[in-house]
Amino acid sequence: VALPALVLGAGLLAAAWRWLRGAARPVRGGSMRGKTVIITGANSGLGRAAAAELLRMRARVIMGCRDRARAERAAREIRAEVGERADGAGELVVRELDLASLRSVRAFCHRVLQEESRLDVLINNAGIFQCPYMKTEDGFEMQFGVNHLGHFLLTNLLLGLLKNSAPSRIVVVSSKLYKYGEINFEDLNSEISYNKSFCYSRSKLANILFARELARRLEGTGVTVNSLHPGIVRTNLGRHVNIPLLAKPLFNLVSWAFFKTPLEGAQTSIYLASSPDVEGVSGKYFGDCKEEELLPKAMDDLVARKLWDISEVMVGLLK
């Protein structure tokens, strides 16, 4: 008797919370007509929501995705949702990009540089969360390799096009969980020890430090760089997290009630990519479309520069 009553009570509380919160559709920014945007991991979750909204703003959106078939299916669904425009403005393009393979990153960038005359926004969105210990094609711990190193190489290879297209923007999706991470230069590849939660947090701290150092290096170029946390969002990012079977109904109810939808979670990415409010703003950290304070370890410029130097060697930009 107690368990059904608990579930029912939680359901009523959840419904009330969602009603009070309103789950309002956020106000969109201005037109992105004539602008080209690359979004990594755009076939699901936050990336898919951002792709749909920026397409609505008439941007040319390049979906950089590991699974081409899934990406093509997502693109068809997005086009159906948004609708074709009579004036032909707005376009969705699918390109294969596996951030766990430096070879794939280079091939993607080579094609972009050959085919695209401009790049106005790069959204580093894709990520992997708390996976079992595994390595990328190039031998890097998967979370650090995908979340940080893959995007590090991608961004550096596209910097020339971004500079030529200035004013342009780079948006780096991090997480509040950066607070639990540390940059251990003695074991960046987790060869000595591996904790899936810690390694995710470390990769998200690396994202922020990368954005901070990149913003410093790009001062005066017209290219801005900002990082963000999307909040707790209902996506498939947590597919590696094991939830006991009996707890799943309650977890699903709680996530429905209290977690953000992908569209709600993508708002800060969309804001940083399109809003005139942040024109010229660089090197900052945002949440819910507002600037937020960082812990001192995420503002350590010496660590940021050392991480940059080591990352350059790891991805082969420097010997």
Side-chain angles (χ1 to χ4, degrees), residues 7-318:
V7 173
L8 178 61
L12 292 172
L13 177 63
W17 172 257
R18 284 197 66 81
W19 180 79
L20 288 170
R21 192 178 68 170
R25 193 177 187 83
V27 177
R28 300 193 194 101
S31 173
M32 291 286 285
R33 184 169 186 168
K35 295 191 175 183
T36 298
V37 181
I38 289 176
I39 307 176
T40 66
N43 62 284
S44 65
L46 298 173
R48 186 190 185 284
E53 291 302 289
L54 291 167
L55 182 63
R56 281 190 175 94
M57 296 180 200
R58 305 190 172 195
R60 172 179 165 83
V61 180
I62 299 173
M63 303 168 64
C65 304
R66 180 177 57 85
D67 189 323
R68 188 177 183 90
R70 287 180 58 198
E72 294 284 6
R73 184 164 60 250
R76 288 193 298 271
E77 292 169 355
I78 292 170
R79 291 187 191 104
E81 291 169 16
V82 174
E84 296 294 337
R85 296 189 179 275
D87 59 8
E91 185 181 3
L92 212 52
V93 179
V94 172
R95 294 286 180 263
E96 189 172 329
L97 170 63
D98 182 358
L99 289 157
S101 164
L102 299 183
R103 173 182 49 80
S104 176
V105 173
R106 290 191 178 94
F108 172 85
C109 292
H110 179 73
R111 184 168 182 181
V112 167
L113 295 175
Q114 279 192 321
E115 297 179 350
E116 304 299 328
S117 60
R118 62 180 305 108
L119 176 57
D120 300 274
V121 183
L122 170 62
I123 303 179
N124 290 339
N125 164 82
I128 189 167
F129 177 71
Q130 294 192 10
C131 61
Y133 185 75
M134 57 182 76
K135 291 185 176 182
T136 69
E137 178 180 287
D138 304 279
F140 305 127
E141 185 276 311
M142 185 64 71
Q143 294 186 90
F144 190 74
V146 170
N147 299 353
H148 171 61
L149 290 174
H151 282 118
F152 180 88
L153 178 61
L154 175 79
T155 306
N156 273 282
L157 293 179
L158 296 176
L159 273 184
L161 186 56
L162 284 158
K163 289 177 182 178
N164 291 339
S165 308
S168 54
R169 305 179 183 190
I170 300 170
V171 179
V172 179
V173 180
S174 182
S175 166
K176 273 190 174 182
L177 293 176
Y178 86 86
K179 297 176 180 180
Y180 306 103
E182 300 291 340
I183 304 299
N184 178 8
F185 289 110
E186 302 304 315
D187 191 27
L188 276 181
N189 210 36
S190 301
E191 300 282 0
I192 299 173
S193 65
Y194 179 73
N195 178 288
K196 62 183 182 180
S197 299
F198 168 79
C199 286
Y200 177 77
S201 295
R202 177 168 64 189
S203 72
K204 295 290 103 177
L205 175 58
N207 288 158
I208 296 171
L209 291 168
F210 163 61
R212 185 175 179 86
E213 174 63 11
L214 182 57
R216 185 188 70 81
R217 291 170 179 252
L218 291 175
E219 287 178 4
T221 65
V223 184
T224 61
V225 191
N226 292 290
S227 59
L228 68 102
H229 75 83
I232 304 176
V233 187
R234 292 195 310 276
T235 70
N236 64 354
L237 187 66
R239 60 189 178 275
H240 293 294
V241 178
N242 293 319
I243 300 169
L245 186 62
L246 291 176
K248 280 188 176 181
L250 187 57
F251 175 80
N252 291 336
L253 185 63
V254 170
S255 67
W256 174 80
F258 299 106
F259 293 8
K260 292 180 179 180
T261 66
L263 177 59
E264 291 168 336
Q267 286 312 297
T268 306
S269 294
I270 297 163
Y271 173 76
L272 291 175
S274 64
S275 176
D277 295 346
V278 287
E279 186 173 347
V281 176
S282 193
K284 305 299 183 182
Y285 173 73
F286 287 79
D288 292 325
C289 301
K290 296 186 293 291
E291 186 182 337
E292 294 190 2
E293 293 295 320
L294 286 164
L295 294 180
K297 65 181 175 182
M299 297 188 291
D300 190 324
D301 291 333
L302 290 178
V303 172
R305 291 175 192 179
K306 184 174 181 180
L307 178 63
W308 181 285
D309 292 342
I310 291 174
S311 298
E312 279 188 315
V313 175
M314 293 178 81
V315 302
L317 289 174
L318 286 179

